[in-house]
Amino acid sequence: MSACTFFGHKNTSEIIQPLIANTIIELIIKHGVTTFYVGNQGNFDRLVYLTLKELKKTYPQIKYYVILAYLPTNNTNYEHMDFADTVFPDCLTNVPPKFAIHRRNNYMIEKSDYVITYIKNNFGGAAQFAEKAKRKNKTVINLA
């Protein structure tokens, strides 16, 4: 059973949602990927989440999880999310907030065989974790 995770820019345009969907479908059909992990920090993550939620209707065998870096609070913006889809890994329980996203992203890389990214420049968090995934011999697919 193969798994996939995602990293992309916070300000990713809605226009790439069909590309996200087509890439996920290809992984499901051609590579047997059944498990998907996504964060919840920006628009790329939101687009991936909404796409996975929709694809679940056509591909009921897939599972997807929103991996939280922090436990939700009243002032956290999660209005698009169904909390049944969320996971807060034990390894983040005692992590200071400053390091939580970093630790969460490492967790997702370790659990995945494939990484889908949307990275237009080679700096920033998404680019850093895409490079880390490559060093760990994960298959990285950049949609940009």
Side-chain angles (χ1 to χ4, degrees), residues 1-134:
M1 178 168 49
S2 293
C4 176
T5 195
F6 304 85
F7 299 111
H9 300 305
K10 285 183 190 179
N11 59 352
T12 299
S13 170
E14 311 274 330
I15 200 164
I16 72 150
Q17 193 163 14
L19 183 57
I20 293 169
N22 290 337
T23 306
I24 292 170
I25 290 167
E26 185 174 329
L27 287 178
I28 294 167
I29 293 172
K30 292 185 178 179
H31 302 282
V33 177
T34 56
T35 305
F36 298 89
Y37 303 103
V38 62
N40 62 320
Q41 302 315 127
N43 203 44
F44 181 73
D45 289 347
R46 186 182 70 80
L47 291 171
V48 168
Y49 170 75
L50 294 173
T51 302
L52 288 167
K53 192 171 184 173
E54 190 62 31
L55 288 175
K56 177 80 171 162
K57 296 172 188 172
T58 306
Y59 302 96
Q61 75 274 21
I62 69 169
K63 297 176 279 181
Y64 62 90
Y65 304 98
V66 178
I67 309 300
L68 301 176
Y70 318 100
L71 287 173
T73 61
N74 289 338
N75 63 351
T76 310
N77 188 6
Y78 293 117
E79 74 271 353
H80 67 277
M81 194 167 301
D82 175 357
F83 282 101
D85 303 331
T86 62
V87 173
F88 183 71
D90 289 341
C91 65
L92 295 175
T93 302
N94 295 316
V95 175
K98 179 178 178 179
F99 304 109
I101 293 173
H102 182 85
R103 181 78 57 91
R104 186 267 322 268
N105 290 351
N106 283 326
Y107 171 87
M108 293 192 310
I109 288 173
E110 290 301 322
K111 295 186 77 59
S112 298
D113 307 292
Y114 297 88
V115 178
I116 297 174
T117 66
Y118 186 77
I119 300 169
K120 287 189 163 188
N121 48 50
N122 60 358
F123 57 87
Q128 172 190 354
F129 285 102
E131 283 304 313
K132 186 170 201 164
K134 287 178 189 174

